[in-house]
Amino acid sequence: MTDMASIKTVLKQQRIETPSWGYGNSGTRFHTFAAPGAARSVWEKLEDAGEVHRLTGIAPSVALHIPWDKPSDGDWGGVSSFAAQHNVQIGAINPNVFQGELYKLGSIAHPDKAVRLEAVTHILECIDVMKLTGSKDLSLWFADGTNYAGQDDFRSRKHRVRDSLERVYTALPDGKRMLLEYKLFEPGFYFTDLSDWGVALSHCQALGDKAQVLMDLGHHAQTVNIEAIVAHLLDEQRLGGFHFNARRYADDDLIVGTTNPLELFCIFVELVGAANDPALSSHTTQVAYMIDQSHNIEPKLEAMVQSVVNCQEAYAKALLVDFERLRDAQSSGDVLAAHRTLMDAFKTDVRGLLEEVRVEMGAPADPIAAHRESGYLERVTATRGTFEGGGGFPT
Ligand code: PSV
Ligand code: MN
């Protein structure tokens, strides 16, 4: 796409979902630092998400983690209306089947049927939360895995996972999806039950169309070509969504686009390429773009605004790729012309274009500067103080 008016129109339709847990204090296993003004409750997280949406214009939904975000009175309707008052809606619902003592040996793959049932029951309750909040996506990540060779039987675990997922899938109403997230390692260090995209994909294909794969950028082995996985999942029409973040070493949960901007750009190039393909364009419209980060030392709100802006920049650059020139170079075997065509777009400074897009959408031209000048952090710090405790992940 090279026509600027069309590029602007498409950029205005971009949506990035922010995670409630990114607004609260979070830490490493060494320490959780207390950030002035960090959100302490679901209400404060929704307020902050509303502010990120006001600043960026493209972050109108918030993913919730249950039970971290469960209101004390259990009134989910109240959560939805509070969100609406702050111009955001409830996005993906993330069950938590990894923090209870009972989950030491797993949740849906646990050898004990009673534990598996408890995990499934919690996920079914999360489907009820979806119904009450209007959420469309059930976002599933399992910490299930093992630490030692021989600890448990791989195939039995696979059957337990499949059986549990089938119970959940059956309860999923039409119009709602199950997003299945995979992760190479951690907390299991020998094996994880949903270790990679292939395992997640095979479960999704067996379950049905409402089951889609969720890719978290931090959940692969070093050097894995993530954009190629994106292409494959798109082509299979099974890419449900992303958890955006960045890493250098493991699942670092740093701000997306900071350590490897080229990778993020290449991911968006695959998405734009698929959106231009009539066979895949409708599939690409349902991909959920979510941030999943742990802001340990950085100010939470500014980190979130920066994350959204980084996704916006990567997308804008991907939209600038001259696909006609690229396909010509590819089909004629002109390796370096093809590469340069991509890099031309990657090296383009899109900041001016995005300022125009934001202003036309009624958002500030520079969301970071606007945030710093707004006094929002000072205001919320005056009421929230500096809370010594969790709210994010891990705590
Ligand atoms: C696990 O590392 C993960 O990426 C999953 O998406 C969780 O839902 C999220 O972190 C927060 O615990
Ligand atoms: Mn994730």
Side-chain angles (χ1 to χ4, degrees):
M1 200 181 288
T2 41
D3 152 39
M4 275 304 155
S6 315
I7 289 181
K8 279 185 175 182
T9 305
V10 176
L11 281 169
K12 288 174 193 168
Q13 288 157 5
Q14 186 181 19
R15 295 291 176 262
I16 306 287
E17 181 162 307
T18 69
S20 68
W21 55 98
Y23 296 106
N25 281 330
S26 59
T28 63
R29 60 174 172 255
F30 303 103
H31 188 64
T32 296
F33 295 102
R40 299 162 299 176
S41 63
V42 65
W43 317 108
E44 292 175 355
K45 293 169 185 175
L46 291 170
E47 260 168 33
D48 289 355
E51 182 63 5
V52 171
H53 182 44
R54 184 187 75 77
L55 291 163
T56 61
I58 60 163
S61 62
V62 191
L64 298 185
H65 224 298
I66 318 293
W68 298 341
D69 295 320
K70 188 173 179 178
S72 49
D73 60 1
D75 178 12
W76 287 106
V79 172
S80 296
S81 31
F82 185 84
Q85 283 160 29
H86 292 271
N87 295 319
V88 286
Q89 60 197 41
I90 304 306
I93 297 295
N94 292 247
N96 185 324
V97 285
F98 50 88
Q99 278 186 315
E101 276 296 314
L102 74 167
Y103 297 132
K104 188 161 89 174
L105 300 180
S107 63
I108 60 168
H110 196 286
D112 182 345
K113 197 174 176 188
V115 176
R116 299 201 295 278
L117 184 63
E118 180 119 0
V120 168
T121 303
H122 169 67
I123 300 170
L124 297 182
E125 281 163 13
C126 288
I127 295 180
D128 291 338
V129 174
M130 293 171 75
K131 293 176 190 162
L132 294 168
T133 56
S135 161
K136 289 198 192 67
D137 290 328
L138 177 71
S139 192
L140 298 177
W141 174 69
F142 298 99
D144 291 60
T146 61
N147 271 2
Y148 296 98
Q151 179 186 323
D152 201 354
D153 179 66
F154 294 133
R155 284 190 297 113
S156 302
R157 290 183 73 93
K158 179 192 167 225
H159 292 155
R160 295 175 208 146
V161 167
R162 177 68 59 81
D163 176 66
S164 305
L165 290 177
E166 272 166 0
R167 286 164 199 260
V168 172
Y169 189 88
T170 307
L172 205 60
D174 285 343
K176 305 211 187 280
R177 303 187 303 165
M178 170 198 278
L179 305 181
L180 198 54
E181 184 172 357
Y182 58 89
K183 182 171 177 176
L184 172 72
F185 79 107
E186 199 187 44
F189 291 113
Y190 168 67
F191 160 75
T192 53
D193 288 277
L194 290 154
S195 56
D196 60 38
W197 66 272
V199 174
L201 178 64
S202 73
H203 281 301
C204 287
Q205 284 172 332
L207 290 166
D209 289 343
K210 289 185 283 184
Q212 301 266 319
V213 180
L214 173 65
M215 170 188 277
D216 182 310
L217 303 195
H219 289 188
H220 308 86
Q222 292 284 10
T223 78
V224 161
N225 186 329
I226 296 177
E227 55 267 31
I229 301 172
V230 170
H232 190 95
L233 291 174
L234 280 169
D235 202 59
E236 292 292 328
Q237 309 209 23
R238 288 286 175 169
L239 182 64
F242 289 95
H243 270 178
F244 285 132
N245 49 55
R247 61 86 170 266
R248 283 182 63 83
Y249 300 102
D251 185 22
D252 305 345
D253 280 337
L254 298 172
I255 294 173
V256 57
T258 51
T259 56
N260 196 348
L262 181 63
E263 178 184 82
L264 185 63
F265 163 76
C266 289
I267 288 170
F268 275 103
V269 170
E270 292 308 323
L271 288 152
V272 172
N276 294 339
D277 179 342
L280 296 178
S281 58
S282 75
H283 173 64
T284 60
T285 58
Q286 52 75 59
V287 175
Y289 298 88
M290 301 173 279
I291 289 168
D292 178 11
Q293 292 172 183
S294 227
H295 303 134
N296 301 338
I297 58 166
E298 55 279 72
K300 323 284 167 208
L301 248 102
E302 190 170 326
M304 204 62 88
V305 173
Q306 185 70 65
S307 307
V308 174
V309 166
N310 288 356
C311 291
Q312 203 177 22
E313 287 186 3
Y315 187 38
K317 290 178 183 204
L319 289 167
L320 288 172
V321 170
D322 184 339
F323 277 93
E324 214 174 310
R325 184 151 66 99
L326 181 67
R327 301 297 175 226
D328 282 351
Q330 288 173 339
S331 54
S332 61
D334 195 341
V335 176
L336 291 182
H339 176 63
R340 275 193 300 270
T341 303
L342 266 199
M343 297 311 284
D344 281 347
F346 179 64
K347 289 174 187 166
T348 307
D349 186 348
V350 293
R351 287 174 295 183
L353 168 68
L354 290 174
E355 282 185 13
E356 285 175 30
V357 166
R358 291 185 197 114
V359 171
E360 287 170 24
M361 291 178 79
D366 180 344
I368 300 279
H371 169 58
R372 290 196 162 207
E373 283 157 18
S374 70
Y376 179 90
L377 185 59
E378 292 73 14
R379 264 196 318 281
V380 297
T381 304
T383 50
R384 299 178 190 172
T386 303
F387 172 61
E388 305 255 349
F393 174 83
T395 56

